[in-house]
Amino acid sequence: MYNINDVLETTRMITQNNLDVRTITMGISLRDCADPDIKKCARKIYDKITHKAEHLVKVGEDLEAELGVPIIHKRISVTPISLVGEACEADSYVALAKALDDAAKQVGVNFIGGFSALVEKGYTKGDHILIRSIPEALATTDLVCSSVAIGSTKAGINMDAVKEMGEIVKKTAALTADQDAIGCAKLVVFCNPVQDNPFMAGAFHGVTEPESVINVGVSGPGVVKHALEAVRGKDIGQVAETIKKTAFKITRVGQLVAQEAAKRLNTQFGIIDLSLAPTPAIGDSVAHILEEIGLESCGGPGTTAALAMLNDAVKKGGLMASSYVGGLSGAFIPVSEDAGMIAAVEKGSLCLEKLEAMTCVCSVGLDMIAVPGDTTAATISAVIADEAAVGMINNKTTAVRLIPVPGKGVGDKVEFGGLLGYAPIMPVNTFKPDVFINRGGRIPAPVRSLTN
């Protein structure tokens, strides 16, 4: 039974602490859209998405008005296009990316994810074609997001794909140089990807998912930060307990929205993603939570430990609020999308190497990090390999979303606008990894015993 204090607290969380439902994402299977003729395949994709997601945006807006909870994004994820396009007799899947883009615009969503390939263990013909299509696809569309899975704990790391993705990131940056390489902000390289992630740019509708599904991602760094202000001076156990209780309340809001959205769209409810997803807005920062816990500045000594506790407490609290939890639950640490992270980089307390250490305990990985435009493809590949190794060994999802901004270097800034925010260009270690990256092959899967 809710009382007036519960209602007032929820209202305060929404109006003063930036509580929102970050996204309602409809996953749609496109496996039945395969066709040898790429034009027919593109038409099937467009027709199916515009039919399935016809009412997605309206339902989101209706729920926002009825419940009073901001729902920031309405999005779509689809079956990895490398699987759908493989039947096509074509040497490029750009036409399929444009079909996705047209469909997304028709139904009014913010982004559509799934221009993706899964090559942890090796390539198929469709994987090769899709990956080579990524730069042009991201440069000639507005709403399409792309991801490539290059490793997993069970398969190891496909170093041929790691090498190629460094080159693809550079080509994507070059083709979108007039927009500060924004194409790279829509491209993620994964190790151990999840199949029910509602967040972009890495969302895709996994092959084990149903015909269509509603996945919801909640947010609320500002709510957690505000709650922790009440336990200043208390021990870490009290801090963790406060985060758990707050995560429970946040997740209940998401659960309500998810169940109602699935019901009105006549589809299946998938998962609630418990992530604390920051925005560039003041008061909506994961870095500021870490500083509230007691750090002078995010990135300083103690940051990894504080983030580990935060991540774990968020999951524990959320698990009590929903029976179907998944996605990338935890805390995101994107640089450009978090005002506290941006400030930490600017004051010199946060560097790329510390971010890598933090990814051992966070939700995903190196995210939305702008680097000098002259960073080589081999160096980008090596960063991808390092981050994939963190995920492979620790049996967790990790990802890399680096943005080498043409013509810009350390000291410059890049402005993307909206939730993508802005970021200072971060320095990258310039010692060359070329010989290592050019070896190719596959790093074997790790042993799961004898761990230390």
Side-chain angles (χ1 to χ4, degrees):
M1 178 66 72
Y2 296 105
N3 59 39
I4 188 64
N5 290 327
D6 294 325
V7 175
L8 291 174
E9 182 181 23
T10 303
T11 302
R12 186 172 61 250
M13 289 162 66
I14 294 170
T15 59
Q16 299 179 20
N17 306 137
N18 299 315
L19 173 63
D20 56 50
V21 170
R22 184 56 50 87
T23 180
I24 296 177
T25 301
M26 173 178 271
I28 302 173
S29 172
L30 298 182
R31 283 189 283 177
D32 55 351
C33 296
D35 195 292
D37 185 329
I38 194 167
K39 290 183 179 177
K40 291 182 179 176
C41 181
R43 188 70 210 179
K44 289 180 182 177
I45 287 173
Y46 177 88
D47 289 344
K48 184 162 186 181
I49 292 171
T50 52
H51 172 67
K52 286 282 186 182
E54 180 181 7
H55 303 297
L56 174 61
V57 172
K58 184 176 186 309
V59 166
E61 292 173 347
D62 288 348
L63 289 174
E64 193 172 14
E66 292 171 24
L67 302 176
V69 180
I71 300 172
I72 307 302
H73 295 297
K74 296 85 181 177
R75 294 164 168 172
I76 295 170
S77 63
V78 298
T79 304
I81 292 299
S82 66
L83 304 179
V84 183
E86 191 147 296
C88 298
E89 296 170 355
D91 58 7
S92 169
Y93 294 158
V94 173
L96 303 183
K98 290 182 177 176
L100 295 175
D101 200 48
D102 290 343
K105 290 173 179 173
Q106 177 61 33
V107 299
V109 295
N110 307 98
F111 282 115
I112 184 165
F115 197 74
S116 307
L118 312 175
V119 294
E120 295 101 311
K121 209 168 183 177
Y123 295 86
T124 66
K125 181 191 76 171
D127 296 328
H128 274 301
I129 296 172
L130 183 125
I131 291 174
R132 288 198 298 264
S133 303
I134 288 173
E136 184 180 352
L138 296 182
T140 57
T141 61
D142 298 314
L143 305 180
V144 174
C145 292
S146 178
S147 61
V148 176
I150 51 80
S152 70
T153 300
K154 289 191 177 296
I157 300 173
N158 181 345
M159 291 299 291
D160 293 322
V162 167
K163 179 176 186 293
E164 185 172 13
M165 287 312 299
E167 296 161 356
I168 292 295
V169 169
K170 288 288 286 184
K171 289 178 183 175
T172 304
L175 289 182
T176 56
D178 60 337
Q179 300 174 76
D180 282 338
I182 196 169
C184 298
K186 299 183 285 181
L187 173 59
V188 180
V189 184
F190 273 118
C191 180
N192 289 324
V194 298
Q195 307 204 5
D196 52 7
N197 165 27
F199 288 107
M200 297 297 168
F204 64 84
H205 187 73
V207 294
T208 59
E209 295 287 294
E211 179 69 13
S212 66
V213 68
I214 290 293
N215 297 321
V216 166
V218 296
S219 185
V223 180
V224 175
K225 166 74 166 54
H226 178 78
L228 291 182
E229 291 172 359
V231 293
R232 286 175 180 167
K234 305 291 185 182
D235 70 19
I236 288 296
Q238 286 286 321
V239 172
E241 188 67 18
T242 301
I243 296 170
K244 279 169 53 181
K245 290 177 178 176
T246 307
F248 173 84
K249 295 170 185 172
I250 294 170
T251 308
R252 292 300 281 178
V253 174
Q255 173 83 2
L256 174 63
V257 170
Q259 288 181 323
E260 194 60 29
K263 178 183 173 184
R264 297 188 186 188
L265 290 165
N266 193 30
T267 189
Q268 187 171 331
F269 162 48
I271 56 94
I272 298 290
D273 184 301
L274 305 177
S275 294
L276 294 181
T279 73
I282 300 299
D284 206 21
S285 162
V286 170
H288 288 160
I289 296 175
L290 301 178
E291 292 166 3
E292 180 62 39
I293 290 172
L295 304 174
E296 180 182 2
S297 179
C298 178
T303 299
T304 308
L307 180 60
M309 184 274 292
L310 169 65
N311 216 40
D312 182 66
V314 167
K315 292 176 182 176
K316 287 174 177 171
L319 284 170
M320 283 293 292
S322 176
S323 296
Y324 298 101
V325 171
L328 298 171
S329 297
F332 288 123
I333 53 171
V335 173
S336 80
E337 300 173 5
D338 186 313
M341 294 288 176
I342 295 169
V345 171
E346 290 177 330
K347 71 176 73 168
S349 66
L350 183 60
C351 64
L352 193 59
E353 287 73 18
K354 184 60 177 178
L355 278 165
E356 182 182 308
M358 292 164 68
T359 65
C360 296
V361 300
C362 83
S363 178
V364 189
L366 297 170
D367 197 16
M368 289 299 286
I369 298 171
V371 298
D374 60 0
T375 305
T376 67
T379 295
I380 292 171
S381 293
V383 173
I384 291 171
D386 283 343
E387 190 58 27
V390 169
M392 177 183 72
I393 295 296
N394 293 296
N395 198 27
K396 73 181 289 294
T397 302
T398 53
V400 174
R401 190 161 45 151
L402 287 187
I403 307 164
V405 186
K408 293 195 174 180
V410 176
D412 293 328
K413 290 182 180 178
V414 59
E415 179 75 50
F416 298 116
L419 279 181
L420 295 179
Y422 75 97
I425 306 289
M426 296 183 69
V428 177
N429 190 317
T430 55
F431 284 92
K432 296 179 180 176
D434 300 53
V435 174
F436 170 58
I437 293 301
N438 287 329
R439 284 179 181 273
R442 181 157 58 97
I443 294 178
V447 63
R448 301 301 294 153
S449 62
L450 299 176
T451 55
N452 54 36

